[in-house]
């Protein structure tokens, strides 16, 4: 029989051509062919997978968790945390050998040999799991766990393949040391603690490098089952110790630990304890959350130690909040809804010792979660000291400048108590918190300039708007309590503005000069003088303590906000009381609120050696006793004279001549000095604008007939000036009101005083007025000229033009 013809595809004998290969492949058992197909397909799929996981091949850098403590190391909390906490940076070049050895002993013993996936471990795990009929062993390497920790997903076979592919590429790109460091940064150690660095601090308050073998083994076993081995429970701690003993034994067997150290670590492990679970105190929740706003700027400055020691004093914070809660219960009857306080250590660079945003964080009915130290509210009179400091600094006033506390015609601005105190020096005008002198002062210095100074103090960042008007001087600019306390820093220190210090590592800008040290010292004297506060604030009240205290209160006109700022030479306390819904309170003023600030200051100084010595006067200023009504050197007839301080070139050199004492009989008539039974009687001569005020308070001018001494009265032609209405006023007639209700107040000042004036409108007499020369005129449409004249005389005031519509 002839041999079959050979085709070109078969090739000559011995030639391994395609045909021969196909025949050899076909002669193999089917299972071998399927296995080969499966392996080839798997390799191809895995190669594709290696390419597909490219977006997962990176080492993430989770935000580091900052841990806050108070000034003495007490735990406050972790601001800005989420469900994944405790991420502290780990330096791959500084991994302690104990941590590396213990971690690899229990997690990945061939870590330095495999490329990210351990084939031997996979084979062992498959065999053990098949033999047991269930999953009893895993084969995840350190690199695979890093992949899972960075991209958490359900533990399925497909996700295992993704993790394996990612692990291979992570090791190839970053190297084993960086992958291990990443694991030690991300691994869970229970109780929302991630990373060996934070675990060492949380459980043992140590840096990783200082951990003993027992502590290292204890922590290294936790990531395998952090829930079961919770160090804060007894059972969990026992399980963790059992796992730690196994780790120590593995280290001994593999020559990583000698018998001496093994025995010592085992004994230490038996008695090992962890620190108590830190509890975040409710009292510091507001400042804790306020720190969140600073975290991004703070983290880069901390390095690997993310513990931040704040300036807060936790016991003080809690004590202040307790006082606030008690006060609020009392004040709630007056409509108060909440209270906030800030306490600053003046001698420690304005370090914040307490910042309590509400009486109770958990009180939802009173919006307790709101931090009222950072809510803008109307400040009442608390801005006045800055106005006086500015005016003194720029020469608009001197300590002896006379300011008028009289009814202002036209704008109707008055004082909260409805009274007027007449001529006042800056010390008494500020200490009595009078509105009228403050508005007059704001007009002198310029509202725009005052607004700019308030901006320099950090109280606002707004552009000046003219319509703010005089309200700017008496609380028309909303401020935050925390900013107000900072703004008082220059007055409590040397006149320079400084940032409040919140923590030890805070970069603080240098002081910025706002006022001179002399101006600040003068304001401290004015604000701390209890006699200067009379008659508005009583002696022995809420503004006094057994040591020198400067105080300023503020109340909005409808009692929606009450403020108090008080400071000693050591501490500054700022306080706000109000309602979260801006509802008016019932008579709760800043003076009443000052009772709480006083109590806080008293607590702060408890145990101190107290002194009744007041604040020091400005360095080179000299004291002079002055008349409270004229600012001139006080004479024997000047009641209420006090010591004021002046620069050498501004010292007053004339004596007060407004107060005179004349002998009078028992019936009040003037007599000669030799008249039996005569006594000295005090008379006051002031400019005519004070005539009505003098009459109301019972101050008598010298009688028209001065007896044998006609020089006691100045003989000159009276001068008349219309105080109300103001020139150019536009008056509107209310069409819904009866005609007799639409009137305008007519008021004049006459110097020296006279018995009567006659009011003229458009040349027609309309009224005759005795001192204080006040009357009313029914409005008529049109333009009108108004003037006051002396009866039967050509003496008259300059005419005032008004327009009535």
């Amino acid at each position: 029989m002839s041999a079959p013809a050979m085709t070109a595809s078969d090739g000559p004998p011995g030639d391994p051509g395609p045909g021969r290969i196909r025949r050899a492949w076909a002669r193999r058992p089917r299972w071998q062919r399927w296995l080969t197909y499966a392996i080839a397909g798997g390799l191809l799929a895995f190669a594709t997978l290696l390419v597909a996981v490219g977006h997962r091949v990176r080492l993430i850098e989770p935000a580091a968790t900052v841990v806050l403590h108070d000034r003495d190391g007490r735990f406050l909390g972790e601001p800005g945390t989420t469900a994944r906490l405790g991420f502290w940076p780990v330096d791959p070049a500084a991994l302690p050998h104990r941590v590396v050895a213990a971690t690899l002993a229990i997690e990945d013993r061939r870590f330095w040999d495999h490329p990210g996936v351990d084939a031997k471990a996979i084979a062992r795990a498959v065999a053990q799991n098949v033999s047991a009929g269930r999953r009893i062993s895993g084969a995840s390497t350190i690199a695979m766990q890093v992949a899972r920790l960075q991209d958490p997903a359900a533990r399925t076979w497909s996700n295992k393949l993704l993790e394996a592919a990612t692990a291979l590429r992570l090791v190839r790109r970053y190297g084993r040391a960086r992958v291990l460091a990443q694991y030690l940064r991300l691994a869970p150690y229970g109780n929302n603690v991630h990373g060996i660095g934070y675990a060492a601090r949380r459980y043992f308050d140590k840096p990783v490098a200082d951990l003993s073998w027992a502590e290292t083994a204890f922590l290294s076993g936790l990531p395998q089952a952090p829930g079961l081995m919770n160090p804060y429970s007894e059972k969990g701690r026992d399980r963790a110790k059992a796992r730690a003993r196994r780790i120590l034994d593995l280290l001994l067997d593999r020559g990583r630990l000698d018998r001496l150290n093994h025995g010592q670590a085992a004994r230490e492990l038996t008695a090992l304890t962890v620190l108590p679970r830190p509890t975040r105190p409710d009292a510091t929740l507001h400042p804790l959350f306020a720190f969140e706003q600073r975290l991004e700027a703070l983290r880069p400055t901390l390095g690997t130690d993310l513990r931040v020691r704040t300036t807060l004093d936790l016991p003080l914070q809690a004590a202040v909040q307790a006082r606030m809660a008690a006060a609020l219960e009392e004040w709630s009857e007056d409509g108060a809804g909440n209270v906030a306080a800030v306490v600053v250590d003046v001698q420690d660079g304005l370090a914040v010792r307490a910042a309590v945003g509400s009486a109770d964080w958990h009180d939802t009915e009173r919006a307790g979660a709101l931090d009222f130290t950072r809510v803008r509210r109307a400040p009442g009179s608390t801005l006045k000291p800055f106005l006086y400091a500015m005016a003194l600094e720029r020469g608009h006033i001197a300590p002896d400048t006379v300011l008028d506390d009289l009814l202002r015609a036209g704008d109707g601005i008055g004082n909260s108590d409805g009274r007027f105190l007449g001529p006042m020096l800056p010390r008494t005008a500020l200490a009595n918190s009078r509105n009228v002198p403050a508005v007059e002062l704001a007009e002198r210095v310029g509202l725009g300039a005052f607004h700019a100074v308030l901006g320099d103090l950090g109280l606002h960042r707004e552009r000046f708007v003219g319509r703010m008007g005089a309200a700017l001087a008496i609380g028309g600019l909303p401020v935050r309590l925390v900013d107000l306390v900072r703004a008082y820093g220059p007055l409590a220190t040397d006149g320079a503005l400084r940032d409040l210090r919140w923590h030890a590592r805070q970069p603080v800008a240098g002081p910025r000069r706002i006022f001179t040290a002399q101006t600040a010292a003068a304001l401290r004297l004015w604000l701390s003088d209890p006699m200067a506060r009379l008659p508005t604030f009583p002696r022995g009240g809420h503004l006094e303590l057994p040591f020198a205290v400067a105080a300023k209160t503020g109340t909005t006109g409808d009692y929606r906000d009450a403020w108090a700022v008080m400071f000693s030479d050591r501490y500054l306390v700022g306080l706000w009381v109000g309602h979260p819904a801006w509802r008016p309170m019932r008579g709760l003023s800043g003076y009443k609120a000052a009772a709480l600030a006083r109590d806080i200051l008293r607590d702060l100084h408890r145990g101190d050696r107290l002194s009744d010595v007041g604040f020091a006067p400005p360095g080179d200023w000299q004291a002079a006793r002055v008349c409270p009504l004229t600012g001139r050197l006080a004479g024997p007839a000047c009641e209420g004279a006090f010591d004021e301080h002046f620069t050498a070139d501004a010292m007053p050199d004339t004596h007060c001549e407004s107060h005179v004492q004349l002998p009078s009989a028992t019936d009040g008539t003037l007599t000669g000095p030799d008249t039996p039974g005569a006594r000295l009687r005090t008379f006051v001569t002031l400019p005519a604008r004070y005539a009505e005020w003098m009459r109301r308070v019972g101050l008598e001018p010298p009688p028209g007939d001065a007896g044998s001494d006609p020089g006691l009265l100045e003989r000159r032609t009276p001068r008349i000036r219309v105080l109300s209405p103001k020139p150019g006023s536009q008056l509107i007639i209310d069409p819904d009101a009866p005609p007799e209700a639409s009137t305008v107040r007519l008021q004049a000042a006459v110097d020296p005083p006279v018995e009567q004036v006659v009011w003229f409108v458009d040349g027609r007499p309309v009224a005759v007025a005795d001192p204080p020369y006040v009357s009313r005129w029914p409005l008529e449409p049109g333009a009108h000229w108004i003037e006051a004249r002396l009866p039967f005389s050509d003496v008259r005031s300059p005419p005032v033009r008004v327009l009535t519509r």
Side-chain angles (χ1 to χ4, degrees):
M1 178 181 294
S2 61
M6 186 174 64
T7 65
S9 61
D10 290 336
D15 180 16
R20 188 180 301 277
I21 294 174
R22 283 198 298 271
R23 286 195 303 274
W25 176 255
R27 287 195 294 268
R28 291 187 176 187
R30 179 176 296 180
W31 67 270
Q32 289 186 358
R33 283 180 286 166
W34 281 110
L35 180 60
T36 303
Y37 288 144
I39 292 173
L43 291 174
L44 179 60
F46 194 70
T48 304
L49 188 61
L50 285 173
V51 176
V53 297
H55 67 285
R56 296 163 57 101
V57 183
R58 83 282 188 218
L59 298 181
I60 65 173
E61 295 185 9
T65 297
V66 175
V67 184
L68 299 181
H69 299 269
D70 84 338
R71 61 188 300 222
D72 294 320
R74 302 178 185 91
F75 178 81
L76 299 182
E78 301 160 330
T81 53
T82 63
R84 303 178 69 189
L85 310 180
F87 295 105
W88 279 25
V90 176
D91 184 359
L95 292 176
H97 75 281
R98 292 178 179 178
V99 172
V100 173
T103 300
L104 297 184
I106 195 65
E107 295 287 353
D108 193 349
R109 61 177 297 188
R110 284 181 288 274
F111 175 77
W112 300 110
D113 300 323
H114 62 69
V117 176
D118 190 346
K120 291 183 180 180
I122 293 175
R124 184 204 70 236
V126 170
Q128 291 177 346
N129 293 340
V130 170
S131 174
R134 58 187 177 89
R135 186 181 185 278
I136 63 172
S137 178
S140 291
T141 63
I142 292 288
M144 292 173 66
Q145 292 185 62
V146 169
R148 183 173 66 251
L149 290 168
Q150 294 190 145
D151 296 289
R155 296 194 177 189
T156 63
W157 286 109
S158 59
N159 287 332
K160 277 283 187 182
L161 287 173
L162 282 174
E163 292 166 9
T166 305
L168 290 171
R169 293 197 60 183
L170 284 173
V171 172
R172 182 172 181 81
R173 173 177 291 186
Y174 297 105
R176 292 179 175 84
R178 289 191 62 185
V179 171
L180 177 59
Q182 185 74 350
Y183 170 79
L184 292 172
R185 181 179 190 177
L186 303 182
Y189 291 82
N191 300 292
N192 287 329
V193 174
H194 289 75
I196 187 72
Y198 189 42
R201 283 294 181 189
R202 172 65 70 86
Y203 297 126
F204 300 118
D205 194 23
K206 290 183 177 182
V208 177
D210 291 350
L211 293 175
S212 67
W213 274 114
E215 293 164 341
T216 300
F218 182 88
L219 294 181
S220 298
L222 296 182
Q224 288 199 347
L228 289 175
M229 294 183 286
N230 183 358
Y232 291 136
S233 73
E234 184 177 356
K235 290 184 178 179
R237 201 159 49 249
D238 290 342
R239 295 188 188 103
K241 289 181 179 181
R243 179 64 60 90
R245 292 187 188 95
R246 180 187 171 195
I247 294 174
L248 292 174
D249 292 343
L250 289 173
L251 291 170
L252 177 64
D253 294 343
R254 295 168 187 172
R256 299 285 184 175
L257 186 64
D258 59 38
R259 289 194 175 277
L260 179 62
N261 284 316
H262 177 273
Q264 181 179 346
R267 289 189 296 273
E268 181 185 344
L269 188 61
T270 302
L272 187 81
T273 59
V274 298
L275 295 176
R277 182 195 298 270
T279 302
R280 186 177 66 184
D282 288 346
T284 57
L285 288 176
H286 287 114
L288 183 69
F289 285 105
F291 266 99
E292 289 188 32
Q293 304 173 11
R294 307 184 183 94
L295 281 183
E296 294 308 314
L298 178 61
R299 284 194 184 99
T301 68
L302 299 181
T304 58
D305 187 355
L306 298 177
R307 296 172 303 161
V308 175
R309 183 159 292 199
T310 70
T311 60
L312 297 174
D313 185 315
L314 181 56
L316 174 62
Q317 179 94 3
V320 170
Q321 187 175 50
R323 278 202 174 276
M324 289 167 50
L328 184 60
E329 286 304 312
E330 177 184 347
W331 292 336
S332 60
E333 299 179 358
D334 297 324
N338 226 313
V339 58
V342 176
V343 179
V344 169
D345 191 330
V346 173
Q347 294 184 5
D348 191 14
L350 298 188
V352 180
R353 297 293 183 233
V356 189
S358 70
D360 183 357
W361 168 278
H362 302 288
D363 190 344
T364 56
E365 292 184 1
R366 291 170 169 164
L370 279 179
D371 185 353
F372 288 99
T373 69
R374 299 175 183 276
V375 175
R376 292 192 178 275
R377 305 283 296 221
S381 296
T382 57
L383 303 185
K384 289 176 182 174
F386 310 124
L387 175 62
Y388 280 80
M390 172 192 176
L392 183 63
E393 183 97 347
R394 302 187 181 186
H396 294 286
I397 60 172
D400 58 349
T401 299
V402 177
L403 303 173
D404 286 352
D405 185 22
L406 300 172
L407 177 66
R408 286 170 58 93
D411 56 23
I413 291 176
N415 298 298
S416 59
D417 58 8
R419 298 185 298 170
F420 298 95
L421 301 182
M424 307 186 76
L425 301 189
R427 174 190 290 252
T428 53
L430 176 59
N432 281 271
S433 194
R434 310 311 285 176
N435 289 340
V436 176
V439 172
E440 175 190 342
L441 202 54
E443 292 172 346
R444 287 192 195 182
V445 304
L447 292 173
F450 180 45
H451 185 268
V453 167
L454 296 179
D456 292 340
L457 288 165
L459 292 172
H460 71 85
R461 297 180 180 176
E462 303 173 0
R463 184 173 58 86
F464 176 67
V465 180
R467 65 173 177 271
M468 290 182 179
L472 184 64
I474 53 178
L477 179 72
V479 302
R480 305 188 310 170
L481 176 60
V482 68
D483 296 331
L484 186 66
V485 168
R486 176 176 179 250
Y488 267 81
L491 301 182
T493 56
D494 60 355
L497 182 69
R498 295 170 175 83
D499 291 336
L500 298 181
R501 289 201 310 111
W502 293 90
H503 61 88
R505 304 195 203 181
Q506 175 182 336
V508 179
R512 184 159 57 92
R513 180 64 55 192
I514 304 294
F515 309 118
T516 65
Q518 289 80 3
T519 296
L523 265 292
R524 286 196 292 274
L525 290 181
W526 296 356
L527 292 171
S528 62
D529 185 352
M531 294 300 296
R533 300 185 189 118
L534 296 173
T536 304
F537 303 105
R539 286 300 313 266
H542 302 329
L543 305 182
E544 286 191 55
L545 282 162
F547 47 91
V549 173
K552 188 70 194 76
T553 62
T555 310
T556 54
D558 49 8
Y559 293 99
R560 294 180 192 270
D561 299 276
W563 304 73
V565 181
M566 300 178 69
F567 60 87
S568 64
D569 62 350
R570 178 68 188 275
Y571 296 104
L572 190 159
V573 177
L575 187 77
W576 167 87
V577 183
H579 196 283
W582 274 268
R583 297 173 187 165
M585 297 180 289
R586 290 181 290 278
L588 182 52
S589 65
Y591 175 73
K592 292 182 179 179
L596 176 55
R598 176 204 59 196
D599 292 344
I600 293 172
L601 262 181
R602 181 188 290 120
D603 291 345
L604 288 166
H605 283 278
R606 195 178 303 279
D608 292 355
R609 179 178 294 178
L610 302 180
S611 170
D612 59 358
V613 177
F615 289 103
D620 56 351
W621 291 23
Q622 302 173 13
R625 197 157 188 80
V626 297
C627 170
L629 298 184
T630 65
R632 296 179 179 179
L633 294 174
C638 296
E639 297 181 1
F642 59 86
D643 288 340
E644 187 55 275
H645 292 79
F646 301 86
T647 60
D649 58 349
M651 181 72 68
D653 55 4
T654 59
H655 285 77
C656 173
E657 297 179 351
S658 292
H659 291 83
V660 295
Q661 290 182 324
L662 301 176
S664 64
T666 55
D667 61 359
T669 59
L670 295 182
T671 65
D674 298 327
T675 303
R679 59 182 180 85
L680 292 178
R681 183 175 168 192
T682 301
F683 297 92
V684 182
T685 301
L686 293 175
R689 63 182 182 275
Y690 299 114
E692 180 183 3
W693 172 77
M694 291 176 60
R695 181 181 62 82
R696 289 182 178 180
V697 299
L699 292 181
E700 297 180 81
D705 182 4
S708 62
D709 190 0
L712 291 173
L713 287 181
E714 185 178 1
R715 304 295 185 179
R716 65 178 186 271
T717 301
R719 291 182 299 171
I720 307 176
R721 179 167 59 93
V722 175
L723 299 179
S724 176
K726 294 288 187 182
S729 296
Q730 296 189 26
L731 310 175
I732 299 177
I733 300 175
D734 185 355
D736 297 324
E740 61 271 15
S742 295
T743 62
V744 62
R745 176 187 176 93
L746 305 178
Q747 183 178 6
V750 185
D751 185 19
V754 296
E755 293 184 2
Q756 286 182 333
V757 298
V758 181
W759 285 100
F760 283 76
V761 177
D762 298 330
R764 297 179 291 107
V766 296
V768 176
D770 298 330
Y773 319 117
V774 176
S775 184
R776 303 199 72 86
W777 172 63
L779 295 178
E780 298 175 3
H784 304 281
W785 291 92
I786 299 175
E787 62 182 356
R789 304 178 185 175
L790 293 187
F792 314 109
S793 170
D794 292 333
V795 177
R796 64 184 66 190
S797 70
V800 171
R801 186 178 186 274
V802 299
L803 178 64
T804 304
R805 296 185 282 140

